[in-house]
């Protein structure tokens, strides 16, 4: 009837009123009408093949735009499939709103179709999980979800919508839409603490700046670059802090990461947490007497695992600006002639030489370094790089350079595998919709691609020209070559499961053939020349994805490590 609105359209309009631009999901009963309503309001809806991938895509768009992406899913297993995505967004501190349909309220506790305790199930992995009880409350619940997803430390929220609520109607005159939320308020640190931080850096013999993902999210790149330029301090990016200051900047000490962490006496953390990714700030990976200056948006993060000497609570961009402005009247110029810089440069050169042999060894079967170096050489410099896997991601972080912020998306704080194609779809969609003219390059291991491989069809459907590169070593961490595989599975073996090592995948699997099903082009590469030809062709393709399946040695490894990859020392 005229002047009435149903729950599905009310939800869509409420999201639109709060600035939501993108939604991803897998539709069906009871949210099919909601997906159409989202499209009718002007929200871009991308139909995915798996709810987990949809949740990954929605949170990546939230990170890239600072506005929550929405993941729309059906009841029961549809919602439960998003739990990995919710946990990843919450751990990564990325804004995400999952919207789940649920069974009719009058049928609850009767064994209704896909009846599940959805609000309770998602509460462990969210900042806010709730169900509006009336149509009138939907706009305010949406506003609260958007606020909690973006204010303070960003994170994940869940909203539950029973089928009968979505199908109910109400007079629009009874609905009050809250105004669109303004951006999160920006807070700064007391000037006295800014002065203390700079004094501590000024007195340091071995200072280090660590640029985290929080600095990238806060759009702090100009002020952070100005700070590095003004002070000449060495800096180290975390994986998704890469590009805030260009990886090829002369002050980047990534090739001397272990030494810089072990020996630094004062560390300035810009939007980075002292968790497993920084080895908990503990010896032997950190100097036992290190002093920490930490910039974080939430005070609860200070004194986590290690005492914070100077706590600068507030927006990373605003506090970086304070640091730069204070330097205008209080110089801090660390000498490039110092012993500290000399030690770092020596280690950088030594580590570069340690991988030169791998890079130059282009004989098949290929190794990680030769393969990734070739990719680095031929992809556009401003590519957005999605990188996941075990060695594929870890070595990729050191070889694949980022010169701009928010141009690397990887497994992040939660260490999640299977998010590659979801992240790539979100990044490519944003480039497409906003006319950014950038290429998205998704570099995955053969194990990682298995989690969401059918999303390649999604990329074709929406004409997203992702360059998908699969580093194939026949298994998880490494598998078996074809001859060994045939030997151990030969003969009259009754149970092949007993002869297949758990980490092994089918040797020489033709993942490139995934492109054939959608009329695209795939490449199977065993040599560097084949890889170069494939990359050149992929860069030229701007209307659909390309799959490049690169075979490397099943026993290919990274260079020798001084420490276990996480935190334990080899003593």
């Amino acid at each position: 009837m005229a002047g009435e609105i149903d729950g599905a359209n009310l939800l869509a309009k409420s999201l639109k009123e709060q600035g939501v631009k993108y939604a991803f999901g897998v539709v069906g009963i009871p949210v099919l009408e909601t997906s159409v309503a989202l499209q009718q309001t002007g929200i871009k809806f991308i139909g995915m093949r798996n709810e987990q991938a949809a949740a990954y895509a929605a949170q990546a768009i939230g990170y890239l735009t600072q506005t929550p992406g929405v993941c729309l899913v059906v009841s029961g297993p549809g919602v439960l499939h998003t739990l990995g995505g919710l946990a990843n967004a919450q751990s990564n501190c990325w804004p995400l709103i999952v919207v789940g349909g649920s069974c009719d309220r009058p049928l609850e506790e009767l064994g209704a179709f896909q009846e599940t305790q959805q609000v309770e199930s998602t509460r462990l992995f969210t900042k806010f999980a709730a169900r509006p009880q009336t149509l009138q409350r939907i706009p305010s619940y949406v506003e609260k979800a958007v606020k909690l997803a973006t204010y303070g430390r960003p994170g994940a929220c869940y909203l539950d919508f029973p089928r009968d609520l979505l199908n109910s109607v109400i007079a629009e005159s009874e609905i009050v839409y809250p105004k669109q939320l303004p951006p999160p308020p920006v807070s700064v640190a007391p000037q006295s603490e800014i002065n203390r931080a700079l004094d501590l850096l000024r007195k340091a013999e071995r200072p280090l700046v660590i640029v985290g993902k929080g600095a990238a999210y806060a759009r702090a790149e100009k002020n952070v670059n100005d700070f590095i330029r003004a002070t000449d301090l060495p800096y180290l990016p975390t994986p998704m802090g890469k590009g805030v200051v260009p990886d090829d900047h002369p002050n980047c000490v990534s090739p001397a990461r272990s030494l810089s962490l072990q020996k630094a006496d004062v560390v300035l953390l810009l939007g980075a947490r002292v968790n497993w990714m920084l080895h908990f700030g503990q010896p032997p990976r950190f100097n036992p007497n290190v002093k920490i200056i930490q910039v974080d948006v939430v005070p609860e993060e200070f004194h986590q695992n290690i005492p914070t000497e100077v706590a600068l609570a507030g927006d990373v961009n605003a506090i970086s600006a304070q640091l730069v402005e204070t330097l205008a009247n209080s110089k801090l110029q660390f000498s490039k002639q110092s012993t500290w810089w000399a030690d770092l440069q020596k280690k950088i050169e030594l580590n570069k030489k340690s991988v030169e042999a791998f890079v130059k060894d282009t004989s098949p079967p290929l190794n990680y370094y030769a393969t990734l170096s070739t990719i680095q050489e031929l992809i556009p410099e401003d590519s957005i790089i999605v990188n996941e896997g075990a060695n594929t991601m870890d070595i990729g972080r050191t070889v694949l350079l980022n010169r701009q912020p928010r141009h690397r998306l990887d497994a992040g704080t939660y260490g999640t595998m299977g998010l590659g194609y979801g992240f790539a779809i979100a990044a490519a969609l944003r480039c497409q919709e906003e006319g950014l003219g950038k290429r998205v390059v998704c570099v995955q291991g053969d194990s990682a691609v298995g989690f969401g491989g059918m999303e390649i069809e999604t990329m074709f459907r929406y004409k997203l020209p992702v360059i998908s590169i699969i580093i194939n070593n026949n298994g998880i961490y490494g598998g078996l070559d074809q001859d060994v595989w045939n030997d151990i599975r030969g003969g009259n073996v009754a149970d092949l499961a007993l002869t297949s090592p758990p980490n092994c995948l089918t040797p020489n699997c033709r993942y490139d053939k995934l492109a054939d099903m959608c009329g695209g082009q795939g490449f199977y590469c065993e040599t560097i020349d084949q890889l170069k030809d494939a990359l050149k062709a992929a860069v030229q393709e701007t209307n659909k994805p390309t799959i490049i399946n690169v075979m490397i040695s099943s026993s290919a490894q990274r260079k020798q490590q001084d420490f276990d990859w996480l935190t334990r020392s080899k003593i």
Side-chain angles (χ1 to χ4, degrees):
M1 294 176 61
E4 291 186 330
I5 188 170
D6 63 18
N9 282 280
L10 178 55
L11 169 59
K13 187 174 180 181
S14 299
L15 290 166
K16 180 70 173 179
E17 290 288 326
Q18 290 302 324
V20 171
K21 296 180 180 179
Y22 299 99
F24 306 80
V26 181
V27 301
I29 298 171
V31 297
L32 183 57
E33 293 81 3
T34 305
S35 65
V36 175
L38 289 170
Q39 288 184 321
Q40 290 174 341
T41 65
I43 293 174
K44 302 289 183 182
F45 183 84
I46 304 299
M48 305 284 284
R49 300 302 299 266
N50 179 276
E51 293 93 352
Q52 198 166 355
Y56 295 144
Q59 65 191 261
I61 209 78
Y63 169 68
L64 293 170
T65 66
Q66 292 185 313
T67 300
V70 165
C71 175
L72 179 68
V73 296
V74 301
S75 53
V79 171
L80 296 181
H81 287 171
T82 70
L83 293 184
L86 285 167
N88 191 75
Q90 189 73 345
S91 180
N92 257 358
C93 312
W94 288 0
L96 165 68
I97 298 174
V98 171
V99 172
S102 56
C103 68
D104 297 82
R105 287 170 294 182
L107 300 179
E108 290 180 333
E109 306 303 334
L110 298 178
F113 174 67
Q114 295 187 335
E115 181 181 353
T116 307
Q117 300 298 312
Q118 295 172 186
V119 174
E120 292 81 358
S121 298
T122 58
R123 191 163 281 139
L124 283 174
F125 310 107
T126 56
K127 293 178 71 176
F128 175 61
R131 169 196 285 184
Q133 294 302 314
T134 65
L135 290 172
Q136 290 94 330
R137 294 297 306 279
I138 288 176
S140 62
Y141 271 63
V142 167
E143 180 203 36
K144 185 170 185 178
V146 171
K147 180 177 70 175
L148 292 178
T150 54
Y151 278 41
R153 171 160 288 159
C157 294
Y158 173 74
L159 292 177
D160 193 71
F161 291 90
R163 182 180 182 182
D164 59 304
L165 188 66
L166 290 172
N167 292 340
S168 299
V169 296
I170 190 172
E172 284 204 77
S173 60
E174 296 184 38
I175 301 297
V176 177
Y177 294 96
K179 291 182 180 180
Q180 182 175 343
L181 286 163
V186 174
S187 56
V188 297
Q191 186 61 44
S192 60
E193 295 304 288
I194 293 289
N195 294 339
R196 280 189 64 216
L198 292 175
D199 285 345
L200 196 58
L201 286 168
R202 197 173 286 111
K203 295 172 184 176
E205 294 181 1
R206 298 180 302 280
L208 178 67
V209 178
I210 297 180
V211 181
K213 178 172 70 247
Y217 182 82
R219 306 313 198 252
E221 50 268 19
K222 180 184 183 303
N223 288 316
V224 175
N225 274 274
D226 287 348
F227 181 78
I228 296 297
R229 189 179 305 111
T231 61
D232 241 351
L233 292 171
Y235 84 91
L236 182 71
T238 65
M240 276 188 279
K242 282 163 56 68
V244 172
V245 182
D247 283 345
D248 53 3
H249 190 285
N251 289 44
C252 180
V253 294
S254 290
R257 183 181 190 274
S258 292
L259 177 67
S260 64
L261 293 178
Q262 284 176 271
K263 300 298 184 182
D265 57 358
V266 175
V267 173
L268 170 61
L269 292 176
L270 296 173
R273 290 172 285 172
V274 188
N275 55 21
W276 71 271
M277 298 187 80
L278 288 176
H279 318 287
F280 315 108
Q282 298 296 310
R285 300 305 299 261
F286 271 70
N287 181 340
N289 299 312
V290 67
K291 291 181 171 60
I292 300 293
I293 305 165
Q294 188 166 4
V295 181
D296 203 281
V297 73
V298 293
E300 291 85 351
E301 196 59 46
F302 301 129
H303 311 291
Q304 176 69 22
N305 297 319
I306 183 173
T308 304
E309 187 75 17
V310 181
L312 304 176
D315 179 79
V316 179
N317 187 34
I319 291 176
S320 298
Q322 286 184 280
L323 292 167
V324 172
E325 290 164 7
T326 304
L327 286 174
N329 300 315
S330 175
K331 298 295 183 185
L332 191 173
Q333 186 77 31
F334 193 71
S335 174
K336 278 285 183 69
Q337 308 306 314
S338 65
T339 302
W340 180 226
W341 261 118
D343 290 344
L344 290 170
Q345 292 291 358
K346 182 178 178 180
K347 188 65 173 177
I348 287 171
E349 292 304 315
L350 184 64
N351 281 340
K352 285 182 177 179
K353 288 182 179 179
S354 71
V355 300
E356 279 182 3
F358 291 104
V359 173
K360 293 178 179 178
D361 181 7
T362 59
S363 59
L366 300 173
N367 67 73
Y368 284 105
Y369 292 91
T371 301
L372 292 167
S373 295
T374 301
I375 294 169
Q376 168 61 32
E377 176 189 344
L378 293 177
I379 61 175
E381 281 194 3
D382 63 350
S383 295
I384 298 174
I385 297 171
V386 180
N387 193 196
E388 69 163 333
N391 288 341
T392 297
M393 182 178 67
D394 294 339
I395 300 173
R397 183 179 67 246
T398 66
V399 178
L400 301 174
L401 302 183
N402 298 100
R403 299 174 177 88
Q404 297 181 41
R406 299 170 296 282
H407 279 52
R408 178 179 172 85
L409 303 172
D410 66 23
T413 311
Y414 207 49
T416 306
M417 290 294 103
L419 42 69
Y421 278 169
F423 281 8
I425 286 169
L429 177 67
R430 178 173 177 253
C431 291
Q432 183 187 79
E433 291 296 320
E434 300 182 19
L436 300 181
K438 296 178 183 289
R439 299 306 302 271
V440 176
V441 181
C442 183
V443 184
Q444 301 168 282
D446 53 324
S447 172
V449 77
F451 287 84
M454 279 305 298
E455 298 302 338
I456 195 71
E457 186 274 331
T458 307
M459 296 181 204
F460 273 98
R461 194 170 359 118
Y462 291 98
K463 297 183 178 181
L464 301 173
V466 173
I467 301 173
S468 171
I469 305 171
I470 300 161
I471 309 297
N472 189 346
N473 66 352
N474 297 336
I476 302 171
Y477 304 113
L480 300 173
D481 63 34
Q482 187 71 63
D483 290 341
V484 177
W485 176 265
N486 291 342
D487 287 343
I488 68 170
R489 288 165 60 92
N492 298 315
V493 179
D495 188 350
L496 288 177
L498 295 177
T499 63
S500 300
N503 64 302
C504 292
L505 302 172
T506 301
N508 306 331
C509 186
R510 296 297 300 271
Y511 299 105
D512 51 293
K513 295 293 185 180
L514 286 169
D516 292 353
M517 67 183 181
C518 298
Q521 191 170 18
F523 298 88
Y524 180 78
C525 305
E526 294 181 321
T527 68
I528 288 297
D529 286 342
Q530 290 171 341
L531 176 57
K532 287 181 176 179
D533 290 342
L535 285 166
K536 290 173 183 176
V539 169
Q540 294 301 313
E541 178 55 74
T542 59
N543 198 44
K544 55 189 174 184
T546 305
I547 300 179
I548 302 174
N549 182 17
V550 189
M551 296 305 308
I552 68 169
S553 170
S554 59
S555 59
Q557 297 293 325
R558 70 184 79 186
K559 73 179 183 67
Q560 184 64 40
Q561 302 293 295
D562 294 329
F563 293 93
D564 281 355
W565 74 279
L566 184 55
T567 188
R568 297 177 299 275
S569 63
K570 294 182 178 177
I571 56 176

